[in-house]
């Protein structure tokens, strides 16, 4: 039997991560946070000082990464044995990830790591090109978005809750810059798959989005 896949693509801050995790839990399916793979690579090339080196060096690091996602009560991500969970969420990591994600050789090098997540009984895959490039065969596809301001406000609240100093207009500008880079890049740009269901979460609660997506699968 074919393994069912639900893809959730969209810009950062649209709620994909939270929604995908809840749905994967409800369905008992595996969860792929593809952004975390790009983020882990961003950390690794910074650590290894090859961020400004050539594409070949970055690809070599990408292929050698030993990434482990541990699913428990809280999420834990280990890179070459080290816990990088907290570092993954930094704005600087996201921005660097967005830059290296525009390199086609880097995307190709990370493809197998993403395909490895396709396992029974099913997969919820969260990213930018899950429904278009990585899992075009997926039977359920969603494009989840929200206005840039809504996404910036959500991020601002998250940072404030963590006690981190934040500036709403700076966050909005960063989000817009990242959206533009992710949407306008030549390879695997952020675009809805032709067969994706489009959901704007600006005025929806997480629970409402989860219900809407689950109704597609059920
Ligand atoms: O989803 P995220 O914010 O963790 O992703 C970080 C960056 O990684 C994002 O700005 C673009 C890139 N990315 C990508 O190009 N393709 C994916 N499938 C996931 C993330």
């Amino acid at each position: 039997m074919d393994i069912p896949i639900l893809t959730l693509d969209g810009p950062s801050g649209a709620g994909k991560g939270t929604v995908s995790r809840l749905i994967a839990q409800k369905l008992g399916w595996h969860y792929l946070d593809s952004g975390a793979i790009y983020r882990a690579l961003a950390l690794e090339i910074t650590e290894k000082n090859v961020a400004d080196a050539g594409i070949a060096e970055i690809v070599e690091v990408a292929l050698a990464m030993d990434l482990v996602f541990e699913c428990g009560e809280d999420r834990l991500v280990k890179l070459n044995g080290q816990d990088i969970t907290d570092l993954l969420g930094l704005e600087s990591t996201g921005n660097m990830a967005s830059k290296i994600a525009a390199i086609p050789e880097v995307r190709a090098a990370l493809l197998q790591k993403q395909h490895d997540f396709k396992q029974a009984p099913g997969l919820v895959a969260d990213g930018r090109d899950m429904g278009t490039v990585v899992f075009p065969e997926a039977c359920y596809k969603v494009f989840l978005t929200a206005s840039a301001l809504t996404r910036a406000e959500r991020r601002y609240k998250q940072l404030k809750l963590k006690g981190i100093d934040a500036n709403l207009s700076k966050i909005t500008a960063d989000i817009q810059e990242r959206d533009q880079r992710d949407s306008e890049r030549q390879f695997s740009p952020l675009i809805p798959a032709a067969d994706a269901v489009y959901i704007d979460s600006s005025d929806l609660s997480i629970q409402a989005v989860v219900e809407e997506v689950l109704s597609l699968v059920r």
Side-chain angles (χ1 to χ4, degrees):
M1 203 189 84
D2 241 9
I3 296 171
I5 303 177
L6 163 67
T7 60
L8 272 114
D9 288 308
S12 49
K16 283 175 295 142
T18 312
V19 168
S20 303
R21 238 168 266 141
L22 286 170
I23 291 178
Q25 264 170 20
K26 284 203 185 227
L27 296 172
W29 289 5
H30 298 276
Y31 168 54
L32 164 61
D33 174 2
S34 61
I37 298 181
Y38 286 91
R39 284 171 183 263
L41 179 58
L43 287 173
E44 185 71 337
I45 60 172
T46 309
E47 163 83 19
K48 289 201 148 50
N49 247 323
V50 293
D52 297 319
I55 292 175
E57 281 86 347
I58 299 179
V59 165
E60 197 179 315
V61 173
L63 293 171
M65 274 198 306
D66 174 23
L67 253 188
V68 177
F69 291 81
E70 287 180 11
C71 326
E73 193 85 330
D74 292 313
R75 146 186 145 115
L76 182 71
V77 186
K78 284 188 180 166
L79 172 61
N80 303 329
Q82 271 200 334
D83 181 356
I84 54 159
T85 319
D86 290 340
L87 296 175
L88 284 180
L90 299 176
E91 296 301 305
S92 53
T93 312
N95 287 331
M96 169 73 95
S98 166
K99 285 182 190 149
I100 53 174
I103 307 170
E105 291 87 344
V106 169
R107 303 197 72 81
L110 296 179
L111 209 50
Q112 187 59 48
K113 282 192 172 42
Q114 298 170 74
H115 285 159
D116 289 346
F117 279 79
K118 181 176 174 180
Q119 283 177 30
L123 174 66
V124 180
D126 152 4
R128 304 290 187 291
D129 60 344
M130 298 295 100
T132 48
V133 176
V134 182
F135 300 110
E137 76 278 22
C139 34
Y140 314 106
K141 297 184 186 180
V142 171
F143 191 84
L144 183 61
T145 189
S147 73
L149 185 60
T150 306
R151 290 184 283 127
E153 282 170 350
R154 287 177 186 163
R155 184 74 189 140
Y156 177 80
K157 279 188 201 149
Q158 277 172 356
L159 291 172
K160 283 280 175 191
L161 272 178
K162 286 187 193 161
I164 299 172
D165 195 28
N167 174 308
L168 184 59
S169 41
K170 164 96 174 67
I171 296 175
T172 312
D174 276 354
I175 281 191
Q176 284 166 333
E177 188 188 330
R178 186 123 69 93
D179 282 358
Q180 190 174 9
R181 196 182 311 114
D182 292 346
S183 312
E184 293 181 358
R185 68 182 176 220
Q186 194 181 351
F187 302 96
S188 305
L190 169 65
I191 41 161
D195 48 350
V197 173
Y198 190 96
I199 301 177
D200 185 329
S201 75
S202 302
D203 299 315
L204 295 176
S205 66
I206 291 286
Q207 206 44 46
V209 178
V210 167
E211 285 307 320
E212 196 168 335
V213 177
L214 276 177
S215 69
L216 300 173
V217 181
R218 281 188 182 131

